[in-house]
Each structure stands twice: as C-alpha cells, then as structure tokens.
Amino acid sequence: IFNLQALEHVNARLLELYPDDEERFDIVLMTNNHAQVGVRLINSINHYGLTIERFCMTGGKSPIGYLTAYLTNLYLSADSEKVQEAIEAGIASATMFTANKDVAYSDTQLRVAFDGDAVLFSDESEQIVKEKGLDTFFEHEQLNENKPLAQGPLKGFLEDLGKLQKKFYAKNERLNCPIRTFLVTARSAASSGARVLKTLRSWGLEVDEALFLAGAPKGPILVKIRPHIFFDDQMFHIEGAQKLGTIAAHVPYGIAQKYHKSA
C-alpha cells in the first residue's frame, strides 16, 4: 500500500550524503502468520522488487508485543484492532485504507500529510468542540494561544521525519529535500491557527506546508498535495480522501472515536 520507492529514494540519498550513518528508514514486515509462510512472503517481496530485510512472524499471536523490541516509530496495519492495541501501548499507529482510484505518486519525494488535533496534538480542543460547541472552542483557543497543546500519538513520527530532513538541510539540500510534510487541518487560520503553529514552534518542529481549511472538505486539497499517506482521526475525512484517490490512515485516538462508535 505504502510507496516504498519514495522511502528507498530517501535512504539512497542519505547513504550518499552520510555513508557512515545508519539513521535511515527501516521497514519491518510484521504478521501473525506462521514461519512456514515465510518463503511465500519472501518470494512476493522479491517479485515486486521491495527492500524488506526484517520479518516478524508470530505464529498466530499478535505482533504488537514485539513493536517496542523493534524500536518501532510507526506501525501501519489494515487490522484496526491491532492498531488500537498499538496506540494503547503508546506506539504511533494507524489503520491503512487504500485509495478508491489510482493516482500517480512521486518516487523521489516522500510526502506525508497530518491532521492536527488528535493526531499531532492531543484531543483537548476536539473535546471542547464536541462538548461545548465551536464558539466556546474559538474562545478557548484564543485565550490559550500561547499555551502549547499536549502532544498526540503521531508527534514523535513527525519529529523523526524532521530529524531526517535536517540531515539534508545540513548539506544545503533544503530545496532538494526528498521529504516534505503537510499539516491539513479543519481549523480556521484566523480564529484557531496560531496556537497550532506556536505549539509546533515550542516543540522545535516545523511542517513544510500548513493548510487551514476552516471546515472545508480535505479531499480536494489532498488531491493537489498527492501525499503518499494522510493521517486523520476522523473516518469521514479518511473516506473523503479515499474517494478522491488518497491513501489514508485512521488514527484511533481521542474523543472522536467515542462519537464514531456510537454513530
């Protein structure tokens, strides 16, 4: 599902610039299949020309317990129950959904798009929207503009991407960096955007592009961005992205999950 060519291009560029440094993307295939299935998996990976050296086959048991041992920075799966288990274990995780139509993606620049609340940030603000409405939310955000939001489940993954980006910047490759990050949020820039940007700054993080949609659908913007993956905590944004050809990943975190389950 995920565009491994873009990851491999980033690794090749890092190896070229830092031949003695091993800080690169490392892909681990995790499955609860039995080891006997390994040959078939290896043949499939070789058939598609993928570079996956590490396997974890757990013989019917959940692989989640191995994530910490593998120093996992991000766990992606089509199994929502395993993803929920990983999130509860404190590991950045999301349920993958394929796009409903084919879209051409870059093989030379990894493009990752994040929702803000309950993804990069905590669900503090979403709780206020759900419980007290938008007017109270806008007032709360303006009163707390200079108070950083608490971190959400994927903050660490953005941090990891940022560390790799800085390796390119250090070699004067900012304009030619093979990683690009996007914040795509339903927030309005004027009424609730400042707190988000100030929070990122307080963390020492940045995104390449920030798009404040003020409640407009995210799908059309994602078509223009063409990210290899888009992370959001709300399924209607995931479904809207899917319909227009974006590979989307649902982050099962925060108050939106309670409302989704009861719907």
Side-chain angles (χ1 to χ4, degrees):
I1 298 174
F2 200 78
N3 188 300
L4 297 183
Q5 285 85 358
L7 289 179
E8 290 175 358
H9 180 75
V10 174
N11 281 350
R13 290 278 308 278
L14 284 167
L15 185 61
E16 182 183 319
L17 294 173
Y18 299 92
D20 299 322
D21 190 339
E22 294 186 358
E23 190 174 27
R24 296 188 287 274
F25 285 109
D26 185 18
I27 302 162
V28 180
L29 176 63
M30 292 199 161
T31 172
N32 57 7
N33 280 317
H34 289 265
Q36 291 90 329
V37 181
V39 172
R40 184 179 176 188
L41 291 174
I42 290 167
N43 288 339
S44 294
I45 284 169
N46 289 337
H47 173 76
Y48 289 107
L50 305 177
T51 305
I52 302 177
E53 301 289 351
R54 297 208 284 167
F55 282 20
C56 176
M57 293 174 282
T58 60
K61 294 183 179 179
S62 171
I64 302 305
Y66 289 95
L67 293 176
T68 304
Y70 274 94
L71 304 177
T72 304
N73 302 85
L74 175 68
Y75 175 68
L76 299 174
S77 174
D79 186 328
S80 60
E81 290 185 6
K82 289 190 179 70
V83 166
Q84 184 68 58
E85 192 181 341
I87 285 277
E88 290 170 3
I91 293 163
S93 185
T95 307
M96 294 288 288
F97 291 89
T98 54
N100 290 355
K101 60 182 180 180
D102 290 335
V103 173
Y105 296 100
S106 172
D107 288 338
T108 57
Q109 185 179 61
L110 177 66
R111 300 167 73 83
V112 184
F114 299 88
D115 178 31
D117 296 299
V119 175
L120 292 179
F121 315 114
S122 75
D123 69 334
E124 166 200 325
S125 298
E126 285 197 351
Q127 288 184 40
I128 293 170
V129 172
K130 298 290 188 188
E131 295 169 1
K132 299 183 180 178
L134 274 175
D135 289 342
T136 302
F137 162 73
F138 291 140
E139 181 182 343
H140 176 268
E141 292 306 286
Q142 289 170 348
L143 284 171
N144 291 278
E145 180 181 314
N146 295 311
K147 179 185 176 184
L149 288 153
Q151 71 178 57
L154 263 66
K155 181 253 191 177
F157 182 56
L158 175 62
E159 200 167 26
D160 294 328
L161 292 176
K163 286 177 184 175
L164 293 179
Q165 284 181 308
K166 286 174 182 175
K167 287 177 163 298
F168 291 99
Y169 302 166
K171 298 286 187 177
N172 296 317
E173 293 281 324
R174 179 179 280 270
L175 295 178
N176 198 28
C177 182
I179 302 172
R180 193 163 184 84
T181 56
F182 304 81
L183 172 67
V184 182
T185 173
R187 282 177 178 249
S188 162
S191 56
S192 57
R195 190 180 186 196
V196 161
L197 297 176
K198 288 183 178 182
T199 296
L200 289 172
R201 188 188 305 159
S202 76
W203 291 346
L205 297 180
E206 58 184 77
V207 288
D208 294 299
E209 299 186 31
L211 298 104
F212 294 90
L213 304 186
K218 296 181 179 182
I221 292 293
L222 293 166
V223 169
K224 298 296 291 184
I225 293 172
R226 293 197 179 184
H228 293 93
I229 190 168
F230 164 60
F231 296 99
D232 202 291
D233 67 307
Q234 301 196 54
M235 278 305 299
F236 70 90
H237 288 311
I238 299 293
E239 290 158 1
Q242 271 187 289
K243 287 176 185 174
L244 294 178
T246 297
I247 295 171
H250 178 242
V251 181
Y253 177 84
I255 194 169
Q257 311 319 305
K258 183 178 87 172
Y259 282 79
H260 175 65
K261 285 174 184 174
S262 63

